[in-house]
Amino acid sequence: MQDRKSRPRGRLLVVAAVLSLALSACASADSNSQSQSSEPVDGGVFRLATVAEPAGLDPALVFDGDSYRINAQIYETLVTLAPGTTSEVVPALATSYTPNEDATEWTFQLREGVTFHDGTPFDAAAVKFNFDRWKNFPEALQSRAELYGTVFGGFGDAGILESVDVVDERTVGLRLSAPRPDLPITLTLPVFSIASPAALQEYGADEVDAASSEFANEHPVGTGPFVFDSWTHGDRVELVRNEDYWDEPAHLDRIVFKAISDAAARLNAVQAGDVDGADMINPRDVEAVTANSSLQLALRGSCNSGFVAFKSDQEPFDDPRVRQAVSHAINKEAIVDRFFGETGEPAWLLMPESIPFHDDSLENPEYDPDLARELLAEAGEPNPVVDFWYPTDVTRPWLPDSQGIFQAIAADLEAVGFQVTPRSATWTAYLQDSKTPAYGLFLLGWSCDYGAADNFYGGAFGYIDSAPNPRYQYTSDEFVAALETAQVAPEDQREAAWAQVQRIVYDDLPVVPFVHGSSSLAFSTRVHGYEPNPVLVEHLDDVWLSD
Amino acid sequence: MTAYVARRLLLLVPTLLALTVLAFLFVRALPGDAAVAILGPNASAESIERLRETLGLNLPLPQQYGEYLAGLLSGDLGTSAVSQRPIAGEIGARLPATIELSVAALLIGVPLGIALGRFSARRAGSAADATSTVVAVVAVSVPVFVLGLTLQYVFAVLLNWFPAIGRVTNSGAEERITGFVLLDAILSGRPDLLLDGLHHLVLPAVTLAAVPMAVTARIARAAYLAESRRPHVRIALAKGLAPAKVRRDHIAHNSWPPLVVVIGLQLGALLSGGIITENIFGWGGLGSLVVSSIRTRDYLVIQSGLLVLALIYVLVNMAVDVVNARIDPRLRSAR
Amino acid sequence: MTPELISPAVARRTGVLHTALRTPGAVVGGAVVVLLLLVAVAGPLLVPHSPTEPVPGGLAAAFAPPSLDHPLGLDGQGRDVLSRMIAGTRLTLAVGISAVLVGALIGTLVGAVAGSVGGVVDNATMRVVDLLLAFPSLLLALGIVAAFGQGRTQVVIAVGVTTVPVFARLVRSEVQRQTGLDYVSAARMYGSGRGRILLRHLIPNSAHLIVVQATLMLSTTVIEVAALGYLGLGPADPREAEWGSMLTEATLTMRTEPQLLVWPSIALVITAVAFNVLGDGLRHAVEED
């Protein structure tokens, strides 16, 4: 997520794989992680302290976690992720779908009896309207709707989405000019939420010049279990229950999302009872939460990695021995222990074990300062002088304490001979500037959009317009070939193909992963049924409050 | 008096113009380009160029400023690059929170400071005087984030006397009329909401009040001491007037003008401290908007946010001068 | 030079210290300031451990409670807190003093020119200075750091600039006051140019006021630096010991390790009180003189 803007565009999948992913019947989300002892109670206001305000409530145009979670209550996608998973696709507005043999034509069967919050019906025409809207975004909006471009390889006719056809009122066909066997999981992305065509038009969702779309601020209209009520800018967003929801209506009367950026203040707020839940608890405070009998903790699990990144084309990092030295110099266990505790695992691959096709045979390079020193000596660089960058004002599941983690890694590097000059910048500037050569050595991470190997390896290191990602300058024909093979490999060869991709990156070390981190939430014990998800698509219709 | 006020108002025009120039130049001095900030780093060179044209960034500076000023006069502050919302609305939505908090902090800090300052002045040189001076210095020397987080932890979490965050309980029953929580509660005839709002106001206002309290105490002490040494006070006392009456009628009355000036100048410190206080107490005011805009390089918002904050400062200080001129006629010709 | 040309303040200067030394508060404050300065200078000799390097064992030893070897315990990186406090005196004071110097320098120049030239120049300059006051200082500093990048120099300049108006106003009014004094008229009659009078007489004769004001501003600048750090725009190297950065770092673990918040806070308060009491004492002495 943090790195989304660097997503490669226009990389297409070339060969087809026959898919028969007929969906099972509607999987009802009823896996209650907190307490299953009592019967859910209806009613009540659920107040959640979030890190930031949403960027906007037009789901097609935003990609921050706080917008994701609010939009996931107001809108629905054709298919979605099963509660708590990152890769299990389950039906939502579509009850089933069927691809043709080469995965270029997809037919979606739509759910009956669904209406938008404004009373207009949800049907094939509405789905077509939304897809056409995304496809034909004016240029000014395209950079804000980047994920569409990534999935379909570009906007308008530059992309692979040829046409969207209304077969009948309940059936929609998507016709692609190239195969996309993994289309279903990409359609779980919140950017593919179906909004009310009437509201989109009435409230000027695409008027770029006015730019302040009324739709995204005052009138977001979807089909979800909650209806938008109000947004007090700088303070909170409120939603109320959708009484006419097509499925069981939600338990809660109302949800209040309240933005508090200071982590200590969020925990104070939930402990004082001013909110019922607080997001992104500092790992150091996890123990305080679990030890407190009036609080409970929910861990999201990890779908990310934090790493030390290089510009692989720059001295001294163009020498693989220097990168290996870094990999052996960092005491990952100690860092994870100190800064993540129970919320992190040491990492050596880009993706955590829970992601399909993770290669378990690759092992963590040993922490060995002596070996690191030897490698530096062999490389003829016993004391490389380096600028080492870190971001200052950001909290991520893989970076809960950027200054602390930076200092620990810098100390490890200096212990083996590096001479580190600390450099820092604020997050927005950091993301933009880390693509420039000034950032030879820097801290970064990758958070997934959905749990798939391609989302990690293709996303981070895939070529953009046949050039390596400027952030890492990782140039490897071998890697690109292996990646392209894996993306379209038939089912029985996928595991081997993705293992090959992981092996190449593991050997080349364009980045040195050190952690798979997990963010966590603290709730008062009144809260039940909140299913945390590392991709932050969290449906709150099963949340209920006791007493 | 009317002439004085008119003159002050007239002087306001060049001041405001200069403010707009400063805010305009300040933002132009920041690195990067508004068009790049809006379109993101992946935008093509052509689309950046096109947006620069739309935004008027390719025009010469004076002309850019002219268009900016014309927009200002018609109430158009432009659009936020991050939220894509009109900036006037963004600022308008947050302004009441900032004003409410600042006023509350002044209402707590200033009377306390005056009391403390007079208390020390009357015992000038004693241990009590020294103690209260130290109290005042301590209040300004603890960074506001340490003070805020500590107060929050002690009084909201451990003692549970006050809410930790927010302006209201968020029961979903609040009516938004003016955006001022307390005013809205009164307008909608809801004493319960008024109490709720006040309850929420206590911790952030006390946090923010520390600095004005300390500064006021210091000035009050000095002003009070200075007045009490003036000849007319000595004469009044020599004439046999009751010391309490002299304190009230002569010393206290005449020590007001410097105090009022300081209260006006305090506003700058308040708006600065407010940035961090708002952050900690989930207050959602103007200061936090400007800070997040600096981080996200949202240039137009920074420009307008700074302008509005400076405008508040200038207007309040003008009001201060007018009030002072009422108290002390000598000041009317002085400026 | 004729005797008349000896500035009154020169004769006064020696008296000021004597007067100041009669107030017990100023004496105590002065003593603490001297002590702080001594620690700042001698810090490297006094530290029992390295203030920037973790103890052996590093992270695993982080947050160790106080022991004989480490009387204040270890911080989140496994560094000796006492050593960081001692070494931090130097950097904290250095940053604060340099910031004040920046402000005093620019402010004095602006104020002196405005005060001695007078007229339109004075009016215009002071209007601009007043406008600078209108922008909240923290925001101004934030903007400057955003513009010029993060680093210690940038922070010093940013915070220093926010103190310019105070010095400018002070020096201007003092210069105006002195311009009316006999010795200045005399100097002018002897043919001294405006610049010469400014540099030789007016500014030196305002020096005591500037020093007093600088003493009083010191804690403000130190705290402003800490505030910038909290907002993520502080100095770039968090490994160096500086009380403000130590505080920012400590807020993240204030629940579990509140002691890390206590020491730098106490140090900041002591420093602020000492400098303020001393400054007050000096000011009274100047006023009474």
Side-chain angles (χ1 to χ4, degrees), chain A residues 98-153:
Chain A
T98 22
N100 68 349
E101 279 208 358
D102 63 354
T104 53
E105 281 175 36
W106 295 77
T107 311
F108 287 84
Q109 211 58 48
L110 304 182
R111 194 174 293 282
E112 297 207 27
V114 180
T115 50
F116 289 105
H117 301 156
D118 59 3
T120 56
F122 164 80
D123 55 17
V127 174
K128 176 176 168 54
F129 183 94
N130 275 274
F131 272 92
D132 286 348
R133 171 184 181 232
W134 304 326
K135 181 182 174 184
N136 299 314
F137 265 139
E139 202 193 333
L141 291 185
Q142 288 179 9
S143 63
R144 298 164 66 81
E146 209 161 322
L147 277 175
Y148 174 92
T150 308
V151 169
F152 291 108

Side-chain angles (χ1 to χ4, degrees), chain A residues 262 264 267-268 271 282 284-285 288 334-335 338-339 390 392-393 400-401 403-404 406-408 410-411 414 420 422-426, chain C residues 53-54 59-60 62-63 76-77 79 84 150 229-239 245 248-249 251-257:
Chain A
D262 188 289
L267 180 56
N268 285 346
Q271 203 174 341
N282 183 346
R284 293 291 305 178
D285 292 331
I335 288 170
R338 156 69 180 87
F339 295 101
Y390 70 99
T392 44
D393 60 337
D401 173 4
Q403 272 200 357
F406 164 81
Q407 292 179 72
E414 296 209 314
V420 174
R423 304 293 303 273
S424 61
T426 51
Chain C
E53 308 258 325
L59 287 183
F63 301 125
Q77 298 282 340
R79 295 173 297 215
R84 281 179 80 69
Q150 282 167 259
Y230 173 77
L231 292 170
L233 289 160
D237 192 349
R239 295 174 301 173
S245 334
T248 305
E249 211 171 318
T251 54
L252 253 188
T253 53
M254 67 178 285
R255 285 274 179 133
T256 40
E257 272 77 34

